[in-house]
């Protein structure tokens, strides 16, 4: 049986990749890294990049990807590095508050269960003493 050639093009169906539909694919990639421009031009170049992002059909998966990595430089998903960092910090702060609230609720529930057990045991002991 002949072995398949490694030079034959891959004809298997390719998974859809959100980046294939990104608006930035046809733009100059340098505008998405405004930090490489002179300081006075950074806000203008960043705004140009964000305008491309705002008309992009895949802005949400791009933003999710940049937040998950975390991407440290450039404009991705309509957010620059400072905006992504602020968003990450805000999400971390909310996660810490949620975790603290859950710990408090669990501690309160455990305390209530302990009081209920103690109360039931105490009532049984009083009934036993009263019957004697």
């Amino acid at each position: 049986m002949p072995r398949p050639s490694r030079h034959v093009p891959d004809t298997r169906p390719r998974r859809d990749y959100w980046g294939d539909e990104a608006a930035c694919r046809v733009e100059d990639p340098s505008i998405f890294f405004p930090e490489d421009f002179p300081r006075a031009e950074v806000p203008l170049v960043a705004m140009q990049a964000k305008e491309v992002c705002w008309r992009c059909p895949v802005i949400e998966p791009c933003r999710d990807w940049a937040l998950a990595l975390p991407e440290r430089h450039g404009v991705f998903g309509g957010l620059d590095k400072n905006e992504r960092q602020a968003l990450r910090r805000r999400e971390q702060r909310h996660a810490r508050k949620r975790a603290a609230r859950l710990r408090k609720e669990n501690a309160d529930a455990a305390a209530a269960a302990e009081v209920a057990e103690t109360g039931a045991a105490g009532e049984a002991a009083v009934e036993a003493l009263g019957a004697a």
Side-chain angles (χ1 to χ4, degrees):
M1 173 178 221
R3 195 172 122 196
S5 170
R6 58 186 179 158
H7 301 290
V8 175
D10 189 5
T11 57
R12 291 177 291 178
R14 189 174 146 208
R15 281 191 352 212
D16 289 338
Y17 172 62
W18 60 265
D20 292 341
E21 299 173 28
C24 59
R25 290 180 58 95
V26 296
E27 297 289 333
D28 177 15
S30 67
I31 68 168
F32 296 97
F33 296 93
E35 301 89 6
D36 296 341
F37 286 82
R39 180 173 277 171
E41 295 178 19
V42 168
L44 297 173
V45 175
M47 189 55 73
Q48 286 178 331
K50 290 177 183 182
E51 287 173 0
V52 172
C53 291
W54 293 331
R55 69 174 189 262
C56 183
V58 292
I59 188 171
E60 291 169 6
C62 180
R63 181 180 300 140
D64 294 342
W65 174 81
L67 290 170
L69 251 96
E71 192 61 52
R72 296 189 191 270
H73 302 286
V75 174
F76 292 91
L79 301 173
D80 63 26
K81 66 179 185 175
N82 296 329
E83 293 166 331
R84 288 192 306 275
Q85 186 177 36
L87 186 60
R88 268 190 228 101
R89 285 181 179 159
R90 188 172 30 239
E91 288 175 356
Q92 289 170 350
R93 189 169 46 252
H94 288 302
R96 283 194 303 271
K97 286 181 180 180
R98 251 191 322 273
R101 188 172 53 248
L102 287 174
R103 280 194 303 273
K104 184 178 182 327
E105 289 172 2
N106 289 340
D108 291 347
E114 186 177 325
V115 167
E117 285 178 18
T118 306
E123 289 173 11
V126 169
E127 287 179 17
L129 289 174

